[in-house]
Amino acid sequence: MTPAELSRTVLRSVRGAVEERELSVPVPARIVVQPPPRPGCGDYASNVALQLAKPAGRPAREVAEILRKRLAGTPGIDRVEIAGPGFLNFTLGDGALVTLVRDVLAQGPAYGDRSAGNRPVADLVSADPASVGRVSTGRASAGRPGPGARAAVVGEVLERIGAAAGRTGRADGHPALVPVPDDLATLTARLGTDEARWILLRPAAHDPVRVPERPVQRESNPRFRVQYAHARTRALVRNAADLGFLSEPGGVGAPAAAGSGAEFRPAPASAHALHTLLAGHPSVVEAAARLRAPDRLVRHLEATADAFFRWHDDCPPLPVGEQKPLAVHRARLALAEAAGTVLANGLRLLGISAPEHL
C-alpha cells in the first residue's frame, strides 16, 4: 500500500462517516499521510482527526476513534492506533509489503515516472551522465561566479523530474541557488561526472555547495553509498541465479516455529522502514518537481540506501552455508530487487549512473 492508496482509504472512511452521520463536516479534497516523526509510531501517520475536530465540534480523539473503527480490518492495514491529541498511526500488514514489491517489479523503470509510457524502454533503463557536459554552464564573468554549473545541472534535472511527475511544459526560471565558482568541465575533470552532479544537487537551493578535494570511494560518501546499495542489489540477483533460484514476492520474516500455524514470522521493523521509503518514491518525485527541489530526491535515495543496508543485515536474502534456498529467500530477493529498482530510477532522474558492479 502506497501513501496515495492509504490517503484514499482514509478519505473513504471520512466520507462514510459523514454519509452515515457519525460526523458532520465538509469532506476534505485529500488527506495527507506521511511517515511518523519517530520510530515506533507505525508506518504512516495522519492528523486528519485534528483537522476535522473543529468543524465537527468534537474532541479530536473522539473523531479519531470514529475513523479508527472504520479503518480497522481494512485489507493491507494491520493496526490503527490513536496517539497524542488525536493522531492516527497506521501499521501496514505484511500483505501490503508483498503487494508493493510486486507492483515495483512489474513497473520496473516506470515506477515513479509518469512520462515512462511516452519514452522508449532504452531511454528508461540507461542514463547518459556525460551529456551534462553538453549543457550550457553559464560561466562566470568579470571575476564573479555566475549561475554556472549548479544552475545548469539543477535546471536539467528539474526538467526530467517534472516530466516524471507528469508536469507538462517547461517551468520558467530556476530556484535561487548559491552559485559555485568552478565551471562544470573543471568539476567533472576533478571529481568525475557522478560525483560532480551529486555535490551540485545534494544541497538545498539556499545552501552552499561543498566541493571535496577528490571523490571518496567508501560508504562515508553518500553518493558512493547509494550507488553501492544499487550494485549490491544486482549482485544479490546474480548470486541467487548462481544458486539456482529467482525472486518471488512473499513474506520476508523468518520462517515461523513448527506448530505455530503461520508460515512466517511478521516482517521486522527494518523491512517496514524500507517498505515505507519504496512506497514513498513517487510522492518524493512529485514533491521535488512541485517545490523545484531535486535535493529532496537525493536525500530520499540516501535514506533508501541506508534502510536497505539495515534490512539486509537483519534479513540476509541469500542462504548461508549449506542451507537450501527457501521461499523466504526468494521473497527477500524480491524486496532487494525492488529497492534496487527505486535506487536506479532515482539515480536516472538525477543523471547519475546506477552501476551493476562496484
Side-chain angles (χ1 to χ4, degrees):
M1 181 175 289
T2 66
E5 291 168 340
L6 180 57
S7 174
R8 290 192 292 269
T9 299
V10 178
L11 182 59
R12 285 194 295 270
S13 74
V14 173
R15 187 176 292 116
V18 170
E19 290 173 353
E20 295 182 18
R21 299 186 180 182
E22 288 184 282
L23 290 174
S24 179
V25 295
V27 177
R30 63 187 294 266
I31 289 172
V32 175
V33 296
Q34 55 192 7
R38 59 184 180 276
C41 298
D43 297 313
Y44 295 101
S46 176
N47 64 350
V48 59
L50 282 80
Q51 295 176 335
L52 297 178
K54 185 174 181 179
R58 304 169 76 166
R61 287 187 64 92
E62 190 174 308
V63 175
E65 178 60 21
I66 291 172
L67 299 179
R68 187 197 66 78
K69 289 180 178 178
R70 286 183 162 272
L71 291 163
T74 300
I77 299 178
D78 189 43
R79 294 194 311 276
V80 184
E81 299 171 308
I82 302 172
F87 292 99
L88 286 171
N89 290 345
F90 303 92
T91 299
L92 303 184
D94 290 354
L97 191 153
V98 175
T99 300
L100 173 75
V101 170
R102 188 172 286 116
D103 289 346
V104 173
L105 295 181
Q107 295 180 47
Y111 182 66
D113 189 345
R114 297 183 189 178
S115 70
N118 300 321
R119 287 185 283 148
V121 172
D123 290 348
L124 295 174
V125 298
S126 63
D128 180 14
S131 67
V132 72
R134 299 191 289 272
V135 177
S136 172
T137 60
R139 291 171 182 258
S141 60
R144 294 184 297 108
R150 190 177 186 187
V153 172
V154 168
E156 173 223 323
V157 169
L158 282 176
E159 187 172 349
R160 191 181 297 120
I161 289 175
R167 294 175 174 261
T168 57
R170 187 166 182 167
D172 296 328
H174 299 294
L177 300 167
V178 176
V180 291
D182 297 313
D183 62 39
L184 188 51
T186 300
L187 286 173
T188 300
R190 175 175 163 186
L191 303 174
T193 302
D194 285 351
E195 183 75 2
R197 292 175 73 85
W198 189 272
I199 63 113
L200 293 172
L201 293 166
R202 189 173 190 261
H206 57 273
D207 289 334
V209 172
R210 293 179 173 83
V211 181
E213 287 297 322
R214 63 183 64 85
V216 178
Q217 296 293 94
R218 55 175 178 261
E219 291 185 45
S220 59
N221 179 344
R223 185 269 311 163
F224 176 83
R225 194 162 65 247
V226 170
Q227 289 181 312
Y228 177 54
H230 175 266
R232 179 60 182 153
T233 68
R234 302 310 303 157
L236 289 169
V237 173
R238 293 192 298 271
N239 293 340
D242 291 341
L243 293 173
F245 74 96
L246 301 174
S247 66
E248 176 62 36
V252 298
S260 66
E263 186 176 2
F264 299 104
R265 295 189 179 99
S270 58
H272 283 280
L274 180 57
H275 169 279
T276 299
L277 288 161
L278 301 184
H281 173 71
S283 298
V284 170
V285 172
E286 193 282 328
R290 175 169 42 85
L291 300 173
R292 302 187 58 70
D295 57 288
R296 285 181 170 248
L297 178 57
V298 173
R299 291 195 297 273
H300 181 75
L301 293 180
E302 292 178 11
T304 301
D306 291 342
F308 165 74
F309 285 124
R310 285 192 295 270
W311 166 77
H312 178 279
D313 291 343
D314 285 346
C315 302
L318 300 179
V320 178
E322 298 300 317
Q323 187 180 28
K324 300 294 184 182
L326 302 172
V328 68
H329 296 118
R330 294 192 290 272
R332 291 174 180 177
L333 183 64
L335 179 52
E337 275 194 277
T341 297
V342 167
L343 293 170
N345 292 357
L347 287 167
R348 185 187 67 249
L349 290 177
L350 299 177
I352 294 173
S353 65
E356 295 276 320
H357 303 267
L358 198 60

